[in-house]
Amino acid sequence: FEFLNELRVFTNASLKDLVNACLHHSWQFASSSRTLLDTLLKQDVYKQRLQDLLPELSEKEQQFLQKKL
């Protein structure tokens, strides 16, 4: 995800994968994913894209992301 962030080439699929990674069982992976998600959410363009993707996420992912938004 860090590589995608450096290049600013997040696709909708990679954004959904990032949200999923925030709920991963490995706390280190989840923690770094949450940090990156928080960074992206500070940018209006990514915040809007993630809001638009909400219906495509699982219920658990939707609940998590809605708390972040």
Side-chain angles (χ1 to χ4, degrees):
F1 292 116
E2 292 298 327
F3 184 69
L4 293 174
N5 185 40
E6 288 178 21
L7 296 176
R8 297 285 187 227
V9 291
F10 282 100
T11 63
N12 286 350
S14 60
L15 288 172
K16 290 190 290 187
D17 288 342
L18 178 62
V19 173
N20 181 269
C22 291
L23 302 172
H24 196 270
H25 64 272
S26 171
W27 72 268
Q28 296 99 333
F29 184 55
S31 178
S32 64
S33 298
R34 289 176 183 179
T35 300
L36 178 54
L37 180 64
D38 289 341
T39 300
L40 291 179
L41 287 173
K42 292 177 184 174
Q43 300 174 43
D44 291 336
V45 65
Y46 284 112
K47 188 172 186 174
Q48 184 59 52
R49 286 181 64 192
L50 285 159
Q51 286 175 331
D52 293 343
L53 290 174
L54 271 171
E56 299 178 33
L57 300 174
S58 72
E59 185 175 331
K60 188 175 181 181
E61 292 167 341
Q62 286 179 18
Q63 290 172 354
F64 170 79
L65 186 55
Q66 285 174 335
K67 289 178 186 174
K68 292 284 189 177
L69 295 171

XYZ file of all heavy atoms in Angstrom:
578
model
N 0.817 -1.203 0.000
C 0.000 0.000 0.000
C 0.860 1.267 0.000
O 0.481 2.266 -0.580
C -0.947 0.018 1.189
C -2.017 -1.033 1.131
C -2.076 -2.033 2.079
C -2.972 -1.028 0.134
C -3.060 -2.993 2.043
C -3.967 -1.989 0.077
C -4.016 -2.977 1.039
N 2.007 1.198 0.670
C 2.882 2.365 0.719
C 3.361 2.754 -0.681
O 3.450 3.943 -0.997
C 4.069 2.123 1.650
C 3.698 2.026 3.113
C 3.074 3.289 3.670
O 3.431 4.403 3.231
O 2.203 3.147 4.554
N 3.656 1.753 -1.502
C 4.086 2.019 -2.874
C 2.976 2.721 -3.657
O 3.228 3.696 -4.364
C 4.494 0.716 -3.553
C 5.037 0.892 -4.937
C 6.265 1.493 -5.155
C 4.319 0.450 -6.034
C 6.765 1.660 -6.435
C 4.810 0.610 -7.319
C 6.031 1.214 -7.514
N 1.757 2.243 -3.514
C 0.623 2.880 -4.194
C 0.441 4.310 -3.696
O 0.109 5.207 -4.467
C -0.659 2.081 -3.950
C -0.713 0.695 -4.571
C -1.981 -0.026 -4.120
C -0.648 0.777 -6.071
N 0.655 4.512 -2.406
C 0.506 5.842 -1.833
C 1.551 6.800 -2.400
O 1.230 7.942 -2.737
C 0.620 5.773 -0.307
C 0.343 7.102 0.347
O -0.546 7.828 -0.063
N 1.108 7.417 1.361
N 2.786 6.331 -2.502
C 3.839 7.184 -3.041
C 3.540 7.607 -4.483
O 3.830 8.728 -4.878
C 5.183 6.469 -2.979
C 5.723 6.348 -1.568
C 7.033 5.593 -1.508
O 7.724 5.498 -2.542
O 7.358 5.101 -0.416
N 2.962 6.697 -5.240
C 2.644 6.994 -6.636
C 1.274 7.643 -6.815
O 0.953 8.124 -7.900
C 2.695 5.704 -7.468
C 4.059 5.039 -7.565
C 3.954 3.729 -8.334
C 5.069 5.967 -8.225
N 0.454 7.609 -5.758
C -0.920 8.144 -5.809
C -1.723 7.472 -6.918
O -2.359 8.124 -7.738
C -0.910 9.657 -6.021
C -0.257 10.432 -4.915
C -1.158 10.500 -3.716
N -0.578 11.394 -2.724
C -0.481 11.089 -1.440
N -0.925 9.937 -1.003
N 0.036 11.922 -0.586
N -1.680 6.130 -6.925
C -2.371 5.377 -7.971
C -3.368 4.376 -7.370
O -3.499 3.266 -7.865
C -1.375 4.659 -8.906
C -0.602 5.648 -9.741
C -0.429 3.763 -8.123
N -4.048 4.778 -6.349
C -5.036 3.883 -5.742
C -6.209 3.679 -6.684
O -6.824 4.644 -7.145
C -5.547 4.448 -4.418
C -4.607 4.251 -3.274
C -3.790 5.275 -2.845
C -4.546 3.031 -2.618
C -2.931 5.099 -1.778
C -3.690 2.837 -1.554
C -2.873 3.873 -1.134
N -6.515 2.420 -6.967
C -7.716 2.081 -7.719
C -8.833 1.836 -6.709
O -8.584 1.757 -5.502
C -7.495 0.804 -8.547
O -7.258 -0.279 -7.632
C -6.331 0.953 -9.505
N -10.045 1.678 -7.187
C -11.142 1.353 -6.280
C -10.880 0.025 -5.577
O -11.151 -0.128 -4.389
C -12.472 1.316 -7.028
C -12.961 2.705 -7.379
O -12.423 3.708 -6.917
N -13.977 2.777 -8.208
N -10.334 -0.931 -6.318
C -10.038 -2.236 -5.727
C -8.987 -2.115 -4.630
O -9.101 -2.734 -3.570
C -9.569 -3.205 -6.805
N -7.952 -1.319 -4.857
C -6.914 -1.186 -3.832
C -7.429 -0.419 -2.617
O -7.013 -0.698 -1.495
C -5.647 -0.545 -4.414
O -5.901 0.731 -4.921
N -8.339 0.518 -2.813
C -8.941 1.215 -1.672
C -9.795 0.255 -0.842
O -9.757 0.290 0.391
C -9.788 2.404 -2.143
C -8.994 3.604 -2.668
C -9.944 4.629 -3.278
C -8.160 4.240 -1.564
N -10.538 -0.622 -1.523
C -11.330 -1.626 -0.793
C -10.410 -2.589 -0.053
O -10.687 -2.965 1.092
C -12.253 -2.388 -1.754
C -13.394 -1.521 -2.279
C -14.438 -2.313 -3.041
C -13.947 -2.814 -4.359
N -14.992 -3.450 -5.171
N -9.315 -2.960 -0.676
C -8.339 -3.839 -0.024
C -7.724 -3.153 1.200
O -7.470 -3.795 2.215
C -7.236 -4.244 -0.995
C -7.706 -5.227 -2.058
O -8.768 -5.860 -1.865
O -7.007 -5.343 -3.082
N -7.496 -1.862 1.107
C -6.938 -1.115 2.231
C -7.904 -1.124 3.414
O -7.492 -1.341 4.555
C -6.607 0.318 1.818
C -6.072 1.218 2.921
C -4.758 0.684 3.485
C -5.901 2.636 2.400
N -9.177 -0.898 3.151
C -10.174 -0.937 4.229
C -10.208 -2.331 4.844
O -10.228 -2.481 6.075
C -11.576 -0.520 3.718
C -12.628 -0.716 4.797
C -11.557 0.932 3.250
N -10.169 -3.346 4.009
C -10.146 -4.719 4.500
C -8.907 -4.976 5.351
O -8.969 -5.628 6.393
C -10.206 -5.699 3.330
C -10.202 -7.135 3.779
O -9.146 -7.737 3.900
N -11.374 -7.661 4.036
N -7.773 -4.445 4.934
C -6.520 -4.627 5.676
C -6.583 -3.972 7.060
O -5.922 -4.435 7.993
C -5.361 -4.051 4.874
N -7.373 -2.938 7.192
C -7.524 -2.271 8.494
C -8.155 -3.194 9.531
O -8.038 -2.952 10.736
C -8.376 -1.012 8.352
S -7.558 0.302 7.428
N -8.807 -4.235 9.083
C -9.477 -5.184 9.978
C -8.734 -6.520 10.049
O -9.262 -7.490 10.579
C -10.918 -5.406 9.503
C -11.769 -4.136 9.428
C -13.101 -4.427 8.767
C -11.960 -3.541 10.798
N -7.525 -6.547 9.554
C -6.731 -7.774 9.506
C -6.369 -8.256 10.908
O -6.218 -7.457 11.831
C -5.463 -7.520 8.684
C -4.770 -8.754 8.239
N -3.802 -9.360 8.999
C -4.900 -9.497 7.119
C -3.361 -10.428 8.361
N -4.005 -10.535 7.204
N -6.207 -9.556 11.074
C -5.907 -10.139 12.386
C -4.494 -9.817 12.870
O -4.237 -9.836 14.064
C -6.127 -11.656 12.374
C -5.214 -12.384 11.445
N -5.530 -12.578 10.116
C -3.995 -12.934 11.635
C -4.550 -13.244 9.532
N -3.596 -13.467 10.425
N -3.585 -9.517 11.959
C -2.228 -9.125 12.348
C -2.234 -7.646 12.722
O -2.459 -6.777 11.863
C -1.255 -9.368 11.191
O -0.002 -8.798 11.480
N -1.988 -7.352 13.996
C -2.135 -5.971 14.464
C -1.155 -5.021 13.779
O -1.483 -3.862 13.532
C -2.025 -5.891 15.982
C -0.637 -6.116 16.534
C -0.092 -7.295 16.945
C 0.375 -5.128 16.712
N 1.199 -7.106 17.364
C 1.522 -5.773 17.241
C 0.441 -3.753 16.481
C 2.698 -5.110 17.531
C 1.629 -3.088 16.774
C 2.732 -3.759 17.303
N 0.052 -5.499 13.422
C 1.019 -4.624 12.770
C 0.520 -4.205 11.382
O 0.609 -3.029 11.010
C 2.392 -5.309 12.620
C 3.061 -5.641 13.918
C 2.869 -7.097 14.307
O 1.893 -7.740 13.929
N 3.799 -7.631 15.090
N 0.010 -5.166 10.645
C -0.521 -4.886 9.312
C -1.746 -3.981 9.406
O -1.872 -3.001 8.671
C -0.856 -6.196 8.602
C -1.320 -6.042 7.185
C -0.558 -5.358 6.251
C -2.506 -6.603 6.771
C -0.969 -5.228 4.938
C -2.942 -6.480 5.464
C -2.172 -5.787 4.553
N -2.643 -4.291 10.332
C -3.839 -3.476 10.515
C -3.472 -2.056 10.934
O -4.049 -1.079 10.446
C -4.768 -4.120 11.545
N -2.507 -1.930 11.820
C -2.102 -0.614 12.304
C -1.521 0.256 11.193
O -1.896 1.430 11.052
C -1.081 -0.768 13.436
O -0.643 0.496 13.872
N -0.638 -0.294 10.388
C -0.060 0.488 9.295
C -1.122 0.829 8.246
O -1.109 1.926 7.672
C 1.119 -0.239 8.656
O 0.713 -1.433 8.044
N -2.066 -0.070 8.041
C -3.152 0.188 7.086
C -4.057 1.299 7.591
O -4.482 2.170 6.826
C -3.968 -1.083 6.858
O -3.144 -2.090 6.306
N -4.341 1.298 8.882
C -5.181 2.356 9.470
C -4.499 3.712 9.402
O -5.151 4.727 9.138
C -5.535 2.004 10.911
C -6.502 0.864 10.997
C -6.781 0.461 12.420
N -7.678 -0.697 12.440
C -8.092 -1.291 13.521
N -7.689 -0.881 14.712
N -8.908 -2.323 13.435
N -3.195 3.721 9.616
C -2.448 4.977 9.518
C -2.533 5.534 8.106
O -2.778 6.731 7.912
C -0.977 4.757 9.927
O -0.936 4.292 11.277
C -0.176 6.038 9.807
N -2.352 4.674 7.123
C -2.445 5.110 5.730
C -3.863 5.566 5.405
O -4.059 6.601 4.748
C -2.013 3.993 4.787
C -2.101 4.294 3.297
C -1.342 5.565 2.931
C -1.588 3.111 2.501
N -4.866 4.835 5.862
C -6.256 5.231 5.609
C -6.541 6.599 6.216
O -7.173 7.447 5.574
C -7.220 4.183 6.177
C -8.702 4.486 5.969
C -9.060 4.496 4.481
C -9.562 3.468 6.709
N -6.078 6.846 7.427
C -6.275 8.153 8.062
C -5.638 9.263 7.233
O -6.208 10.345 7.086
C -5.696 8.161 9.477
C -6.502 7.321 10.450
O -7.679 7.024 10.167
O -5.946 6.961 11.508
N -4.471 8.973 6.681
C -3.785 9.953 5.830
C -4.596 10.238 4.566
O -4.768 11.399 4.175
C -2.380 9.442 5.440
O -1.629 9.229 6.640
C -1.653 10.432 4.546
N -5.107 9.191 3.953
C -5.907 9.368 2.734
C -7.205 10.125 3.009
O -7.635 10.936 2.186
C -6.219 8.010 2.097
C -5.046 7.259 1.492
C -5.510 5.919 0.933
C -4.370 8.080 0.409
N -7.805 9.868 4.151
C -9.081 10.510 4.468
C -8.946 12.016 4.696
O -9.952 12.734 4.692
C -9.732 9.846 5.686
C -10.324 8.464 5.412
C -10.797 7.820 6.708
C -11.472 8.556 4.410
N -7.746 12.495 4.863
C -7.521 13.941 5.002
C -7.623 14.643 3.656
O -7.712 15.864 3.601
C -6.149 14.207 5.623
C -6.055 13.764 7.066
C -4.668 13.982 7.618
C -4.577 13.429 9.035
N -3.194 13.495 9.544
N -7.613 13.856 2.592
C -7.718 14.406 1.237
C -9.148 14.209 0.738
O -9.646 13.082 0.696
C -6.731 13.699 0.315
C -5.287 13.853 0.762
C -4.356 13.027 -0.081
O -4.496 12.988 -1.306
N -3.406 12.372 0.567
N -9.765 15.299 0.347
C -11.175 15.254 -0.054
C -11.456 14.257 -1.169
O -12.485 13.584 -1.157
C -11.656 16.651 -0.476
C -11.744 17.605 0.699
O -11.887 17.140 1.851
O -11.667 18.828 0.460
N -10.545 14.153 -2.120
C -10.781 13.256 -3.253
C -10.871 11.801 -2.782
O -11.745 11.048 -3.240
C -9.714 13.452 -4.361
C -8.336 13.052 -3.892
C -10.102 12.684 -5.608
N -9.990 11.396 -1.888
C -10.033 10.017 -1.388
C -11.195 9.805 -0.430
O -11.809 8.737 -0.418
C -8.708 9.632 -0.726
C -7.633 9.341 -1.733
C -6.534 10.177 -1.860
C -7.719 8.247 -2.585
C -5.543 9.917 -2.803
C -6.743 7.982 -3.524
C -5.656 8.818 -3.631
O -4.687 8.550 -4.569
N -11.512 10.816 0.341
C -12.651 10.703 1.243
C -13.926 10.453 0.437
O -14.729 9.579 0.779
C -12.787 11.978 2.085
C -13.818 11.887 3.165
C -13.772 13.092 4.075
C -14.725 12.900 5.225
N -14.614 13.989 6.203
N -14.108 11.190 -0.649
C -15.286 11.010 -1.498
C -15.282 9.640 -2.169
O -16.306 8.958 -2.228
C -15.359 12.112 -2.557
C -16.607 12.043 -3.419
C -17.882 12.148 -2.606
O -18.038 13.069 -1.815
N -18.792 11.204 -2.791
N -14.127 9.221 -2.664
C -14.047 7.905 -3.322
C -14.398 6.785 -2.345
O -15.114 5.845 -2.702
C -12.654 7.689 -3.900
C -12.406 8.508 -5.166
C -11.041 8.270 -5.733
N -10.877 6.895 -6.180
C -9.701 6.365 -6.504
N -8.605 7.088 -6.422
N -9.623 5.109 -6.891
N -13.910 6.892 -1.111
C -14.212 5.866 -0.109
C -15.693 5.888 0.267
O -16.302 4.835 0.459
C -13.320 6.049 1.110
C -11.874 5.590 0.879
C -10.931 6.224 1.877
C -11.783 4.069 0.944
N -16.281 7.068 0.338
C -17.728 7.152 0.598
C -18.507 6.484 -0.527
O -19.482 5.779 -0.282
C -18.167 8.617 0.742
C -17.756 9.248 2.046
C -18.099 10.725 2.124
O -18.147 11.421 1.112
N -18.316 11.193 3.332
N -18.074 6.690 -1.751
C -18.743 6.088 -2.902
C -18.614 4.562 -2.913
O -19.470 3.867 -3.454
C -18.173 6.653 -4.216
C -18.500 8.129 -4.410
O -19.407 8.651 -3.726
O -17.819 8.765 -5.242
N -17.541 4.045 -2.306
C -17.311 2.602 -2.279
C -18.043 1.893 -1.135
O -18.077 0.657 -1.103
C -15.811 2.312 -2.155
C -14.967 2.638 -3.375
C -13.487 2.452 -3.063
C -15.369 1.759 -4.546
N -18.608 2.638 -0.208
C -19.267 2.030 0.955
C -20.221 0.887 0.598
O -20.149 -0.169 1.222
C -20.013 3.089 1.779
C -19.214 3.777 2.868
C -20.015 4.938 3.452
C -18.815 2.808 3.960
N -21.107 1.050 -0.394
C -22.046 -0.038 -0.706
C -21.370 -1.331 -1.178
O -21.963 -2.401 -1.101
C -22.919 0.539 -1.826
C -22.734 2.011 -1.762
C -21.370 2.243 -1.203
N -20.137 -1.238 -1.642
C -19.428 -2.411 -2.159
C -18.655 -3.158 -1.073
O -18.097 -4.224 -1.338
C -18.463 -1.988 -3.271
C -19.155 -1.348 -4.462
C -18.176 -0.890 -5.520
O -17.135 -1.550 -5.688
O -18.443 0.134 -6.173
N -18.618 -2.605 0.130
C -17.861 -3.209 1.227
C -18.749 -4.143 2.046
O -19.975 -4.027 2.023
C -17.300 -2.116 2.138
C -16.355 -1.104 1.491
C -15.995 -0.001 2.485
C -15.114 -1.782 0.966
N -18.110 -5.035 2.780
C -18.865 -5.906 3.688
C -19.453 -5.059 4.815
O -19.045 -3.911 5.027
C -17.949 -6.981 4.279
O -17.057 -6.393 5.217
N -20.393 -5.618 5.540
C -21.032 -4.878 6.623
C -20.006 -4.433 7.673
O -20.033 -3.299 8.144
C -22.113 -5.740 7.281
C -22.909 -4.990 8.331
C -24.058 -5.819 8.884
O -24.587 -6.678 8.166
O -24.399 -5.597 10.056
N -19.096 -5.328 8.009
C -18.065 -5.020 9.002
C -17.156 -3.885 8.499
O -16.809 -2.973 9.254
C -17.246 -6.280 9.294
C -16.273 -6.157 10.417
C -15.613 -7.505 10.702
C -14.628 -7.424 11.844
N -13.971 -8.711 12.119
N -16.794 -3.948 7.232
C -15.956 -2.898 6.646
C -16.712 -1.575 6.574
O -16.147 -0.515 6.837
C -15.493 -3.314 5.249
C -14.527 -4.476 5.246
C -14.311 -5.083 3.873
O -15.144 -4.880 2.962
O -13.306 -5.792 3.727
N -17.996 -1.631 6.252
C -18.810 -0.417 6.205
C -18.875 0.245 7.577
O -18.718 1.468 7.695
C -20.228 -0.741 5.737
C -20.344 -1.035 4.274
C -21.766 -1.383 3.864
O -22.719 -1.088 4.579
N -21.924 -1.995 2.710
N -19.102 -0.540 8.593
C -19.179 0.004 9.951
C -17.859 0.656 10.348
O -17.840 1.756 10.906
C -19.557 -1.092 10.949
C -20.972 -1.572 10.819
C -21.258 -2.788 11.686
O -20.373 -3.350 12.320
N -22.515 -3.196 11.710
N -16.760 -0.009 10.054
C -15.446 0.541 10.374
C -15.218 1.863 9.646
O -14.811 2.860 10.253
C -14.342 -0.469 10.011
C -12.968 0.110 10.088
C -12.334 0.264 11.313
C -12.308 0.528 8.936
C -11.066 0.809 11.391
C -11.043 1.076 9.007
C -10.426 1.215 10.240
N -15.475 1.874 8.338
C -15.210 3.071 7.533
C -16.137 4.218 7.921
O -15.710 5.372 7.976
C -15.329 2.749 6.048
C -14.932 3.860 5.089
C -13.514 4.365 5.374
C -15.052 3.386 3.653
N -17.377 3.929 8.220
C -18.309 4.990 8.616
C -17.839 5.673 9.897
O -18.009 6.889 10.039
C -19.718 4.431 8.781
C -20.375 4.156 7.439
C -21.711 3.461 7.559
O -21.976 2.781 8.529
N -22.546 3.615 6.543
N -17.238 4.935 10.799
C -16.685 5.544 12.021
C -15.526 6.465 11.690
O -15.334 7.483 12.346
C -16.222 4.466 12.986
C -17.346 3.690 13.630
C -16.810 2.611 14.545
C -17.951 1.750 15.056
N -17.448 0.604 15.841
N -14.758 6.116 10.670
C -13.611 6.931 10.257
C -14.037 8.186 9.507
O -13.367 9.205 9.567
C -12.664 6.127 9.365
C -11.940 5.012 10.069
C -10.829 5.602 10.904
C -9.922 4.535 11.460
N -8.813 5.135 12.204
N -15.140 8.080 8.779
C -15.603 9.214 7.994
C -16.259 10.239 8.898
O -16.266 11.383 8.701
C -16.590 8.764 6.913
C -16.007 7.856 5.831
C -17.116 7.313 4.949
C -15.007 8.616 4.983
